[in-house]
Amino acid sequence: MTQGIRARQRAQTRAALVRQGRRLFATQGYAAVGLAELVEAAGVTKGALYHHFTGKPDLFRAVLAEVQQEVADRVAAAADAHHDPWSRFTAGCRAFLTASTDPQLQRIMLVDGPAVLGWNEWRALDEATSGRHLAEALTELVDSGTIGRQPVAPLARLLSGAMNEAALWLAGTTDPAALNDTWAALSRMLAALRTPSPAGSAG
């Protein structure tokens, strides 16, 4: 019983640190947030923070992982609302771009993420979440004949790179038409991947 209570307390402490870390990192930026502010906001001691994380970068890593998983979940939910593979694919791509315009996600995922963790680690986290969904969607499109048969891995990385660059640009622009313009450009690029329909067929 005591062990169960302690386990719950540890889980609650970690959750509070991640929750408050996410709030502070999103509103102030990683560099502006100090450990004293983090532990005060979470209502814990520095010792408690170091019990769960090796320091501020490690806490940020946990926050970023949560944010990227949340974006991946949004992408999956948008895709799952459609029946045919192409609609699922394009809805997921649009959901990713839309998520990148969310101010609560932008700073953590797109601005501070690569800077704090380095490109390689940031990219690995992205591949494990949204990148995995993209590869699965492309595999489905190849298997269904919607796009030509080809290796999925390089195509997934090319498209992921394009969308991540677009997301970074969206995070830094104030142009109200930016999202629609970016989606229009991406739609044209994606449409070029489709296998031409047989003459006289619908769609």
Side-chain angles (χ1 to χ4, degrees):
M1 179 68 74
T2 302
Q3 287 183 337
I5 293 173
R6 287 177 179 170
R8 283 196 299 273
Q9 289 174 337
R10 286 194 296 270
Q12 289 168 355
T13 296
R14 189 183 190 283
L17 284 163
V18 172
R19 182 172 61 252
Q20 294 303 324
R22 178 172 176 170
R23 179 180 66 83
L24 292 170
F25 293 143
T27 56
Q28 299 180 30
Y30 176 84
V33 179
L35 283 180
E37 186 177 10
L38 280 167
V39 296
E40 181 179 356
V44 302
T45 64
K46 281 189 179 181
L49 184 148
Y50 283 115
H51 177 76
H52 292 278
F53 304 100
T54 59
K56 190 170 76 162
D58 196 29
L59 172 59
F60 180 82
R61 184 179 292 106
V63 169
L64 176 60
E66 179 179 275
V67 166
Q68 289 193 313
Q69 185 59 55
E70 182 178 307
V71 171
D73 290 344
R74 290 189 190 185
V75 168
D80 289 345
H82 298 269
H83 295 295
D84 71 282
W86 184 256
S87 295
R88 282 199 294 272
F89 172 58
T90 55
C93 291
R94 179 152 196 167
F96 176 82
L97 290 182
T98 301
S100 71
T101 65
D102 184 338
Q104 294 300 309
L105 303 180
Q106 279 180 346
R107 191 158 205 165
I108 293 170
M109 185 174 77
L110 300 171
V111 179
D112 285 339
V116 174
L117 299 185
W119 175 257
N120 287 338
E121 186 172 357
W122 181 87
R123 190 72 186 90
L125 285 171
D126 180 66
E127 284 192 4
T129 50
S130 296
R132 179 172 57 82
H133 288 297
L134 178 60
E136 289 172 352
L138 288 170
T139 298
E140 183 180 30
L141 290 173
V142 170
D143 290 345
S144 67
T146 306
I147 65 176
R149 187 156 295 281
Q150 58 191 289
V152 166
L155 180 59
R157 280 158 179 77
L158 284 167
L159 291 179
S160 178
M163 286 192 285
N164 279 326
E165 280 297 315
L168 286 166
W169 179 71
L170 287 170
T173 185
T174 56
D175 182 355
L179 178 58
N180 286 337
D181 289 346
T182 301
W183 173 243
L186 180 61
S187 294
R188 289 190 291 271
M189 188 171 73
L190 297 179
L193 295 171
R194 295 194 73 172
T195 302
S197 300
S201 66

